[in-house]
Amino acid sequence: MRMKIIVAAGFTCLLASGCGGAASSSDGVDSKATPTGTILPQRLDQPDTSPDLEADAPADDAPFSKQLEHELSVRTLKMAQGEGKATAQCPSDIESNKGRTAACTTTYDGLKIRWDVTIGDTAAWSESYVEYKATPSTGIITKAGVAKLLFGNYKGYIDYALCNNIPKATLVPLNVETKYKCEVVDKGKKPTGFATSTVRATEAGPRAY
């Protein structure tokens, strides 16, 4: 019998865009004004490419544990929003029965995230799918993900961004302010030395406001 594949409970197909509109971040600042704050040291330019956020899919008849590992790998990549691969490991004996729980681990750029998984009901629209809930133990911030976010939020206005040394990838708590801050520098403007955005990690990727 073909094993069930899975769909996340409450999953939405379209992720919310990053906070912050396309308005200029330095309106009213003279392009020749002398900076009065501390210029942040790390420059982020527009990314050349968009990262691949899809992990290699297992075969349709792969064991349920492999289907679950694929789902969690994809969710980890979407959280990171950066180049790289994610792998996952779940107990091989986990079954698609309601109420079953398991602890899985995903790895991205050497960073490990624990996911607490609970299996839910069979999907109302198909017996081949089952709902599940998976809660990550922490979030991820990547330099590439923040660059992608800022150039998306301020498309048409931003020249570059200055940040305080965001690592290539690092673990941070979910949905709270981090120590990482950025200033968006508009086209034709100079940096003021004042950070305009504080970075946060969410399951949908970084946010900055």
Side-chain angles (χ1 to χ4, degrees):
M1 177 180 177
R2 178 175 295 179
M3 300 299 293
K4 297 177 182 178
I5 55 179
I6 53 183
V7 59
F11 179 81
T12 55
C13 295
L14 183 62
L15 297 176
S17 61
C19 296
S24 170
S25 64
S26 54
D27 289 344
V29 177
D30 188 341
S31 62
K32 297 182 180 180
T34 301
T36 56
T38 301
I39 301 299
L40 297 173
Q42 181 186 52
R43 174 168 170 149
L44 301 184
D45 291 304
Q46 184 168 6
D48 294 329
T49 59
S50 182
D52 182 4
L53 302 181
E54 289 294 332
D56 294 336
D60 289 343
D61 59 352
F64 181 74
S65 62
K66 297 301 181 184
Q67 303 281 0
L68 181 57
E69 288 172 356
H70 173 255
E71 288 285 323
L72 297 181
S73 294
V74 171
R75 289 178 63 175
T76 300
L77 288 172
K78 289 182 177 179
M79 193 188 308
Q81 292 289 321
E83 296 290 347
K85 292 186 177 181
T87 59
Q89 186 171 10
C90 294
S92 60
D93 60 350
I94 185 172
E95 298 177 356
S96 57
N97 297 330
K98 181 179 179 180
R100 289 295 301 269
T101 61
C104 299
T105 301
T106 57
T107 303
Y108 175 87
D109 198 37
L111 303 174
K112 295 185 181 297
I113 300 175
R114 173 190 168 104
W115 296 77
D116 292 321
V117 179
T118 302
I119 306 302
D121 294 316
T122 300
W125 45 273
S126 174
E127 292 185 355
S128 296
Y129 289 80
V130 63
E131 296 177 339
Y132 78 99
K133 180 180 180 180
T135 304
S137 60
T138 187
I140 293 180
I141 290 291
T142 66
K143 181 175 71 173
V146 173
K148 177 184 176 184
L149 172 75
L150 295 177
F151 277 87
N153 281 357
Y154 296 92
K155 185 177 182 180
Y157 293 87
I158 183 174
D159 186 9
Y160 59 93
L162 294 175
C163 304
N164 58 341
N165 292 325
I166 299 172
K168 178 184 177 183
T170 187
L171 297 177
V172 296
L174 275 169
N175 304 314
V176 297
E177 289 187 359
T178 68
K179 64 182 180 181
Y180 302 111
K181 300 179 183 296
C182 298
E183 177 186 358
V184 173
V185 182
D186 291 346
K187 294 178 180 179
K189 304 290 185 178
K190 293 184 180 295
T192 65
F194 293 103
T196 53
S197 301
T198 300
V199 179
R200 296 163 172 79
T202 77
E203 286 194 56
R207 296 292 181 262
Y209 50 90

